[in-house]
Amino acid sequence: WRLDTVLTIGRDSGNTIGFPADTKGISRQHCRIERRGTQIVVMDLGSSFGTFIGGRKLMPNVPVPVGPNTEIWLASDKIRFLIR
């Protein structure tokens, strides 16, 4: 993934990272990660089961800046991504 690219995650086939259609807890358009200037931001896209950073559920459609070694959870702690 290049830092100048928007990364989308979800069950729709158009996402950068796609999950199978029957993946429990993952919405069709779950969240996005993108670079804004010098920051990386994560934004929940109104998912049904939420996107979490540090155990805190993100508000839908509100970008949250993240730093290195930030762990992002989708729907639960079983699906995780680590920002390096």
Side-chain angles (χ1 to χ4, degrees):
W1 173 58
R2 294 177 17 190
L3 287 178
D4 62 345
T5 307
V6 173
L7 177 75
T8 58
I9 301 169
R11 291 184 290 119
D12 272 353
S13 61
N15 287 298
T16 312
I17 297 175
F19 286 85
D22 61 350
T23 305
K24 292 182 177 159
I26 303 298
S27 296
R28 288 177 294 211
Q29 295 288 324
H30 197 96
C31 70
R32 74 190 292 152
I33 302 170
E34 65 183 274
R35 181 177 177 179
R36 292 190 178 175
T38 59
Q39 288 190 313
I40 302 296
V41 297
V42 176
M43 184 168 48
D44 181 85
L45 298 175
S47 66
S48 297
F49 292 93
T51 303
F52 299 80
I53 295 176
R56 190 183 100 221
K57 187 175 183 178
L58 303 185
M59 296 289 296
N61 303 307
V62 176
V64 176
V66 296
N69 299 314
T70 299
E71 193 172 70
I72 301 165
W73 298 358
L74 305 182
S76 71
D77 63 351
K78 294 180 182 176
I79 301 173
R80 302 178 190 183
F81 292 90
L82 183 64
I83 302 295
R84 289 279 185 169

